[in-house]
Amino acid sequence: MVTVALLFGGRSGEHEVSLMSARSVLSVLDRARFNVIEIGITHEGAWLTGENALRAFEQGNLSSLHPVTLHPDPTRPGLYVIRNGDGREVLEKLADIDVYFPALHGSHGEDGTLQGLFEMADVAYVGAGVVGSSVGMDKGVFKEVMRAQGIPVVESIIALRSEIENDMEGVIRRAEAISNYPLFVKPANLGSSVGVTKCRTRSDLAEGLMDAAQYDRRILVERGVPQVREIEISVLGNDDPQASIAGEIIPGADFYSYDAKYVLDTSVLVIPAALTETQAMQVREYAIRAFQAVDACGMARVDFFISQTGEVFLNEINTIPGFTKISMYPKLWQASGLAYPELVNRLIELALERKADRDRTVRVYRRAS
C-alpha cells in the first residue's frame, strides 16, 4: 500500500481555499490503495498531524494534534513526530512516506519553497519542481518568460512594495502608461484572486496598490481587456503533457474575484467552452508550451483571456490548481474522460515517475581516467 502525506493549510492568504481543496482530494483517495496521513500547516508555519487533522483545521481546534517535521537530510527518511521529554524536544519516526501531495496554494506551498524542501529530502511529491513552481507563481516573471516564448500576454508592469510606500505617484504614472483604465492590480505571488482589484480611477489604483502590497512585495499592474472571456485549460503529465478540453468562466461578479469563486456561488463554468476550432487548438497549444517552458510537471491549470475581437492572451499558470468541488481543473479532466478519482491516482503515479527519473541523476562527478 502506498503511503500518501496530504498537506494543506499553509502560510498564505489562500489557507482556507487549501482546506477546501484538501477535503475534495481526501474524499476521492482510494483507501484500498493508499494509506493517507493528513498534515496541516498553520498560518505560523507549524506542521501538525493526528486523527482527522483536516477536520481539526476546518473547525479551528488544533489541540488534539501534535507537531511533525520532514527532515531535510535524505539519509533520515520519513515523517517525524516532535515530542517533549526530559526538558528537550526529540524526534520520533512516525511513518515512511511514499508520496507527498501538497494541496497548498500561494506562498510557502506553490512557489517553490516547499518543493525545495522536498528536493533536499529527496522525496516523491505531486506537482511541479522548484523552477516550475517559482516561475509559475510569480506573475511578473512568468509573463516575461511567455514573452520570450512568443506567447501573447497582456501589457503589464511590476511595482515593489517599497516603491508603492515611498513613491506612489511614480508607480501610478508608470501604471497609467500601460493603457487607459480599467487596470488590474494583483499580488505577483498569490492566486484565488486574493488581493486583486479592478481599478477604474486613480484613487481606485492607489487603494488597489496598497491592498495588494499587504500580500506580497511584488505587485503586478496590467491592462484590463474589455469584455474579456476567461478560458481555462488543464494540463496533466511530465515530459509528455496532455491538455484537456477548454472551459469558460462566466463570473458572477464584475470579474472572477475571490468572492465570485468561493463565497457567492454565482459564477458559471461552461464546459466545453464555445470556441472556434482555431481558438480551441491555439489555447491547448499555448497551454502545453507554457507548461514546458517553465519545466512544470504533474499538473497545471493555464488561464487565458479572449478579447472581444478574438485576440488570445495567456493570463497565468497555476501549478497547484484548486481542487474544490467547484474547481475547473478536475471538472475539465472529467469532461475530457478522466474521472476525479483516477485523476488523483494519476497525479500520484506521475510523482513516483518523476522521482524515479530524478534518481537516475549522477550526484558524484567521476573524471575519466
Side-chain angles (χ1 to χ4, degrees):
M1 183 176 289
V2 175
T3 298
V4 177
L6 178 65
L7 284 79
F8 48 84
R11 296 172 58 199
S12 166
E14 298 179 79
H15 180 103
E16 285 71 27
V17 179
S18 171
L19 302 186
M20 290 188 277
S21 287
R23 175 57 64 192
S24 293
V25 172
L26 193 63
S27 71
V28 298
L29 277 168
D30 184 354
R31 297 311 176 93
R33 294 180 60 182
F34 304 114
N35 172 40
V36 182
I37 296 177
E38 302 172 23
I39 304 172
I41 303 175
T42 69
H43 282 289
E44 295 74 32
W47 290 34
L48 303 174
T49 194
E51 189 174 357
N52 297 319
L54 177 55
R55 184 184 304 165
F57 269 73
E58 291 168 335
Q59 295 174 350
N61 183 2
L62 310 182
S63 59
S64 64
L65 306 181
H66 42 268
V68 291
T69 189
L70 167 62
H71 205 294
D73 181 347
T75 66
R76 294 178 170 86
L79 190 67
Y80 290 81
V81 178
I82 304 173
R83 300 199 188 279
N84 291 311
D86 298 327
R88 61 192 180 96
E89 290 185 339
V90 296
L91 299 183
E92 180 181 311
K93 192 167 186 178
L94 176 66
D96 287 314
I97 306 296
D98 295 302
V99 181
Y100 288 82
F101 195 130
L104 296 156
H105 308 301
S107 53
H108 304 289
E110 192 178 356
D111 59 358
T113 53
L114 181 67
Q115 289 73 19
L117 173 62
F118 289 152
E119 292 286 343
M120 290 288 290
D122 195 24
V123 298
Y125 59 95
V126 170
V130 175
V131 172
S133 298
S134 58
V135 174
M137 190 70 216
D138 190 299
K139 297 176 178 64
V141 174
F142 175 73
K143 286 179 185 295
E144 290 301 323
V145 173
M146 293 303 99
R147 291 182 181 111
Q149 292 289 315
I151 297 176
V153 294
V154 174
E155 301 92 323
S156 62
I157 63 164
I158 285 288
L160 302 180
R161 179 190 287 148
S162 58
E163 294 178 302
I164 292 168
E165 293 172 343
N166 298 317
D167 186 19
M168 176 67 81
E169 284 300 314
V171 173
I172 288 175
R173 284 194 299 272
R174 283 204 294 133
E176 289 178 335
I178 299 172
S179 75
N180 297 326
Y181 290 96
L183 297 169
F184 277 88
V185 177
K186 307 174 180 180
N189 290 281
L190 267 182
S192 297
S193 297
V194 173
V196 176
T197 304
K198 183 177 183 179
C199 307
R200 298 178 177 84
T201 65
R202 269 198 160 205
S203 60
D204 286 351
L205 180 56
E207 291 178 12
L209 288 166
M210 291 300 292
D211 181 53
Q214 297 180 88
Y215 301 104
D216 196 7
R217 59 175 292 273
R218 286 167 52 82
I219 311 305
L220 180 83
V221 184
E222 65 182 7
R223 174 172 70 90
V225 182
Q227 296 182 312
V228 70
R229 296 175 65 190
E230 300 193 29
I231 305 298
E232 300 186 349
I233 294 282
S234 293
V235 182
L236 179 70
N238 287 335
D239 292 349
D240 184 27
Q242 306 298 311
S244 71
I245 63 173
E248 181 171 3
I249 302 288
I250 301 177
D254 190 29
F255 66 98
Y256 202 32
S257 64
Y258 184 96
D259 283 352
K261 289 179 179 179
Y262 304 112
V263 179
L264 299 176
D265 198 26
T266 55
S267 297
V268 177
L269 311 184
V270 179
I271 304 173
L275 302 177
T276 67
E277 184 175 345
T278 299
Q279 288 173 329
M281 290 178 60
Q282 191 171 49
V283 292
R284 285 164 61 92
E285 177 199 342
Y286 284 162
I288 290 176
R289 282 176 57 191
F291 188 92
Q292 293 175 322
V294 302
D295 193 31
C297 59
M299 61 180 167
R301 195 193 70 239
V302 187
D303 302 347
F304 296 87
F305 295 143
I306 297 184
S307 72
Q308 190 178 20
T309 58
E311 293 177 284
V312 174
F313 300 97
L314 198 157
N315 179 32
E316 62 184 25
I317 188 170
N318 291 269
T319 55
I320 303 183
F323 270 86
T324 73
K325 64 180 180 180
I326 63 169
S327 294
M328 187 67 101
Y329 185 82
K331 283 181 174 291
L332 286 174
W333 279 119
Q334 184 167 351
S336 300
L338 186 62
Y340 195 170
E342 287 307 310
L343 171 61
V344 171
N345 293 348
R346 181 63 183 141
L347 288 171
I348 293 171
E349 291 171 358
L350 288 167
L352 292 169
E353 288 176 14
R354 183 80 165 188
K355 175 63 167 62
D357 190 39
R358 290 206 314 272
D359 288 345
R360 296 172 57 201
T361 304
V362 176
R363 306 294 180 185
V364 178
Y365 176 53
R366 296 184 177 90
R367 296 180 62 185
S369 56

